[in-house]
């Protein structure tokens, strides 16, 4: 039995307040769905088995290059972070695993991580390496790149760092390595676009060679930032090339905020599924660039359309289809725990909505080019308020009907605010 | 000896006016380049051998969905179009071949095309099929797609049309087929993104099977328009998948205006070269979408950066690198002949600028991460006014020092304005 | 009593099939809203009084510059168009007025329009002028502009055309003129950006002078297309300048698809309300540019956020706030009548969702910078499935519970398909 | 006579190496321009009188939210920064004034700043306030806004900070205050878009009231970042409203990187000039967002087109036209001094190119809608390699023919590298 960071009674009390309304709403929705031939309980069960990993870095307050404004009770280290993650999972029952970022989450003995997580009932998802900033005491700087650097020793250092991430991951039960690098250039001519990519591929091959047999490696593309003219792994096309160059254990990771304006992201998802290279997601939302906002907060229909592709792939029984679901956000103006709770719920919401799409009708409308009814079929599912399903799935698993209000009622933030010292804010990269 | 649509004496008279200035400018530039160790005549010679194909549809006035405003002397048919193309080549000596579009350029006997072109000293570049609009009397409509249509008979019709384009091309000496389709959807759900692409690939395989051994097939991607939610061949990633699925004779075509906002196009060019799938270009310029403006008119530095990749590939002796150069523009407010002259010059300009990049210095700056000097090395070449080189290359080949003024002096437009009937303008797709 | 284009019995039969489910859903929603202190009937009543005008041009199949693929039963003239508009209103009870486009909708005697519309129970909304294409026989061409043309006679012709639109509008009871022009340039330097705008302002002043005392004039901005480098009225900043230069009867019209990528449109709406210059909307949706897709089909949350500003303005009792609501779409792959029905519903949906926002709670969260709960307050309203409210509002007014299925059951399209001749498709501005 | 941070002999030696080539190139260009009726010396003289201010923060290495990688010899304080600025001016003779940022550049006694700057021959340009990050010990946090904050005390603190900036400015001879705030929201609903702007306007009025009679206040808009959903001063339309609400001393500042994708920036410049509200510029370049890259490094033609508007306004003798020219960049991968030298040169280059536009011909082509020749008229000027003019202007004023090579030859960076301690890098807002 996992240690509880919030007392079960608190959650029970808050749940009690919502339970009558939930029952009424769930029954009404059940009746509506039954008219459409859908068994609400079956949906609830599927939703209850859908999980998304939270990033260890997500429980700290993020910032921009202009400033960071910490909140109270900022986690001091990975153990505090795991505690915060446990709260999220306790309330949502949707986030049983944590994705670590090295070197920040490195400890002397990785077994300490395992022990702490086990006690909290948490597991570990993909490991994340960091070669986009310099760690104190690091021999070679990543100012001009890491895995694609012109200097072989710098590349080797970055390779070894990734291998170390694998080793830590092996000790704690992770099964995947996510590689995102910021390598690129700020000015035309600064780097040779082809040579840089050749060096990157070579370095990735060295990492891939060390990958355990039951692991996967995820490469992540991003259009720009921190490099402002060219980025080595700039889009899914380049990402696909990487995955095919490396081999069967290499897959592409899709972060929803890493694309050019107006790009149809669900289409990229469809292509990667079709060509058996979808590794998984970094969920978040964005309006402008890599804004790292809470999932579904800006364009919830887009999130639904991504899940529509995922459920469609399940429905079509697509080969080699087992994407990893992770959140990657930066919480600058909210309590990070609350934002992660919200995002986990939103991701499940999109999944639940996609599950109730009438796929038989959809297929038939598509076949006959009935554009209006085909698109309304998706919209009907999206418009359905599936909150009762989500709440019921949480409740059945021991979580909270309304996780945010339960969290606020628990006083967790105030409590850690007393235990953890105040952190000073400040500027970012702007001087 | 080719028939001349403009009398040689007219060009000679105009050239005479510019010849002293040209000599002075050429010598001054030669002296400057010599200081940098560059032989201007060698550059001029290379530029003189660089050619770009003009599209038959480019010599007519284009339009938008709001309206089309024809000019005087609109070409009535492909023979008129070839005459106009001959004028462009006569003056620029840069556009010896024409790219046809079927069914518009179809005639009873393709040998007539060959005869007419031969007389004008013109050849034929890639053939272009059209399944984005319905031709009169066509059995199946392309309203809901062509090569990716849900209906097999419609797909078959589109396949056969492409095969017909190959057959016409064989008769006139073309060696490539360009396939651009508008297939896609306007609303989420309208089509199944994966099934559509499967059907497209299958249809393309049927066309590919018919491709002569010494031909190449170019698939062209485009982000959107005429489809406004999803497009089957939406980006270079999908385009690359097509080329690899089809085989060694299949390549990707890059139209400079077919990308998402802010996309680094030269990087896509570099990737396609590296993975041996760059088929060639549809040159034009754009600020917003597929604006089809004259090459280099909006962002000349971007055009240069594309050519920098091409010259870099030559310099690195990249494998399987022989891109086709074509213009694809829509001329709505200029005399199409003038716009094509200008674009041919701009394309050569970017090539000439890329040729004078000090690649040894560039490589050294890149190696040592001297971002400033590396980028200035490109800028130095771009800032060089290479017009004397372009003019000299034209003059040496028998063209015009200043092709626009020679064209205007020739009275060609007025002449065909008398021969060819006035065309009424009107709305486009807006009703 | 208005003439009915669809027999009332047909609608009644279809409604009958849906009435039990509607009652159940309405009651369940009513109960849920009651828990939140909201009276569902009051919302239904407000929604039932919310209307949006349909554009006469919207009932014909649109196209792109690549092609137009007409459907069956294309309206032959404005009388057919009014018939189609009457069907939309009969089923939705949301679109009692029609916005005309001159010269297309011009008839010998405007009183014929009035008589025909009266019989159908329709009224007329804003008049729309057209100076973006040349009408047959027109003396001066708009190829290089209209109200901003360098030539005074061309400007005068465009002014007179707008005045004619006012005159027709006066005869039929319209109270507003919408002016959208395509004037701009394709190349840097083609026009003087300042001089063009000065000429435009002067021309608009001449039109404004003729505006009846109880009329309003709406200027509409658009970022690009048909001009691809600069557009005279390119954004809301310029639009605001126009409205202030002209006077109190001049307002800005916001078309949802006329902005730069990523722009926050609801913020523009808020600013125009605050500065008393919001004239109204051209509703539609878009993913890339001026895609003219059905309202809410791409980003329904954005549509909701726009309505959130409108309801917030009502709530704050903003001065001089009485925006006109119009649809402006191009229906290329659907039956235009169906798309307009859908859009009218979506617009009402966004309004209904905005009405149930808990504004007191929202204000309190905003005041205390509780970003998470503030944003969830909007999301809660957006997630509510208000379809029962929309359906009940239609039903109470004599419309259809499910307008699309009632429309299909009516056989209207087949019927007019027999009466109206087949229209040939074809290319657009592409030759 | 100003103190020299680089010995004059060093510059003289480097100049000597370039002087013969410069003379040859200058004469050749002079001959070419003379043929077009342009007196090169007159242009050189004008260019020599064109100045741009450098930002004090620009001489330190910048960063992104991911990391900051300092270089050697990072300035420790404003006195070091002024020294670095003096080097830039000594070599370019184009940057005689510095723009300060408070609180970073605050010292106990502003007269110290004046004395130090006087000795270096530098003056002070606009003052910049900072309310986008919290200074140590600050009473109220700007986490949720500053001038638009819901809390009156926080707004008051921000107002007083701006007034303090004015007071410091008065002491050192500045004549303008630039206000850029990051206020906005990350989620729909977080703030009331109208109320926020009302509070902002009120706060700005309080600052404006304190503005000395001979000062100007510049408000600066920016589309997004650090706020990722809405930004209070998001575009030029809002910026214009601010300037008109405040009064005659209020103007709009245009930062080239603060716009939506694809926006026509030169058009915004034209509009602000026409309506007498252009305050000036923050020059830089960008490909994606507020990338803060060196001026002209990504799209040099765009920079030219902005200057074309400025010179056109001079030519038209526009009223109330006296824009301030400032650089605002972040130098992450170059020596900041070198980047600022380059940018100052690029800005003058664009100015020089705009000066040689044949405005009489341009006007005539515009008048007759000769789109091709009008656009070629601009292009001709842009294509002219005006480097000899820039170099001659520098040489005549006592600067360097090739400032970068003179700077490198001087050993300045190595020297300050020894004097100033090494600064540790690190992450930005990412934890």
């Amino acid at each position: 039995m996992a240690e509880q960071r919030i007392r079960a009674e608190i959650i029970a009390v808050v749940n009690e307040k919502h339970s009558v309304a939930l029952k009424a709403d769930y029954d009404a929705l059940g009746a509506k769905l039954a008219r459409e031939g859908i068994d609400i309980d079956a949906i609830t069960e599927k939703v209850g088995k859908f999980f998304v990993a939270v990033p260890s870095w997500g429980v700290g307050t993020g910032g921009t290059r202009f400033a960071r404004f910490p909140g109270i009770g900022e986690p001091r280290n990975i153990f505090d972070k795991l505690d915060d993650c446990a709260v999220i999972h306790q309330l949502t029952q949707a986030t049983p695993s944590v994705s670590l970022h090295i070197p920040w989450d490195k400890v002397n003995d990785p077994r300490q991580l395992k022990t702490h997580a086990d006690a909290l009932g948490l597991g570990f998802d993909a490991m994340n390496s960091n070669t986009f900033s310099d760690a104190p005491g690091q021999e070679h700087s990543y100012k001009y790149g890491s895995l694609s650097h012109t200097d072989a020793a710098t590349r080797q250092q970055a390779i070894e760092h990734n291998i170390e991430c694998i080793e830590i991951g092996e000790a704690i039960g992770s099964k995947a390595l996510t590689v995102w690098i910021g390598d690129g250039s700020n000015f035309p001519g600064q780097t040779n676009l082809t040579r840089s990519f050749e060096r990157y591929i070579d370095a990735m091959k060295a990492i891939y060679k060390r990958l355990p047999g039951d692991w996967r490696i995820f490469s992540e593309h991003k259009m720009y930032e921190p490099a402002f003219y060219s980025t080595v792994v700039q889009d899914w096309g380049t990402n696909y090339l990487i995955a095919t160059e490396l081999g069967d254990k290499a897959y592409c990771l899709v972060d929803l905020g890493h694309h050019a304006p107006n790009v149809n992201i669900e289409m990229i998802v469809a292509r990667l599924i079709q060509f058996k290279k979808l590794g998984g997601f970094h969920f978040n939302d964005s309006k402008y660039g890599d804004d790292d906002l809470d999932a579904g907060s800006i364009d919830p229909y887009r999130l639904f359309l991504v899940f529509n592709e995922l459920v469609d792939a399940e429905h079509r029984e697509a080969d080699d289809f087992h994407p990893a679901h992770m959140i990657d956000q930066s919480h600058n103006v909210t309590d990070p725990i609350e934002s992660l709770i919200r995002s986990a719920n939103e991701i499940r919401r999109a999944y639940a909505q996609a599950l109730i799409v009438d796929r038989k009708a959809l297929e038939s409308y598509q076949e006959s080019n009935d554009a209006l009814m085909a698109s309304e079929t998706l919209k009907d599912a999206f418009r359905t308020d599936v909150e009762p399903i989500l709440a019921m799935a949480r409740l059945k698993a021991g979580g909270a009907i309304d996780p945010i209000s339960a969290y606020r009622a628990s006083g967790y933030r105030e409590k850690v605010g007393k235990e953890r010292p105040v952190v000073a804010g400040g500027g970012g990269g702007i001087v």
Side-chain angles (χ1 to χ4, degrees), chain A residues 64-76:
Chain A
T64 68
R65 68 179 168 126
F66 294 96
R68 193 164 85 86
F69 301 98
I72 62 165
E74 292 286 330
R76 292 159 293 186

Side-chain angles (χ1 to χ4, degrees), chain A residues 348-413:
Chain A
R348 277 191 163 181
R349 187 185 316 279
Y351 178 57
Q353 291 166 329
L355 283 175
I356 61 175
V357 168
D358 184 343
R359 294 198 180 272
K360 210 173 142 185
L362 179 63
E363 212 170 302
S364 156
Y365 292 131
Q366 288 172 341
E367 198 62 31
S368 60
N369 291 302
D370 188 342
L372 189 120
M373 286 308 297
S375 51
E376 282 301 294
T377 301
L378 288 191
K379 270 299 193 61
D380 275 347
F382 174 72
R383 287 198 284 254
T384 305
D385 185 354
V386 297
E387 183 62 32
I389 292 174
L390 307 183
M392 190 60 81
R394 286 191 295 269
L395 181 65
K396 284 187 172 168
I401 294 177
D402 181 341
I404 298 289
S405 66
Y407 170 72
R408 292 192 173 189
S410 78
Y412 179 81
R413 179 58 68 192

Side-chain angles (χ1 to χ4, degrees), chain A residues 5 34 41 103 124 205 208 242 315 350 368 382 389 409 418:
Chain A
R5 283 294 169 264
D41 291 329
F124 291 101
K205 283 182 176 167
Y208 187 82
I242 295 165
H315 183 72
S368 60
F382 174 72
I389 292 174
K418 283 172 197 149

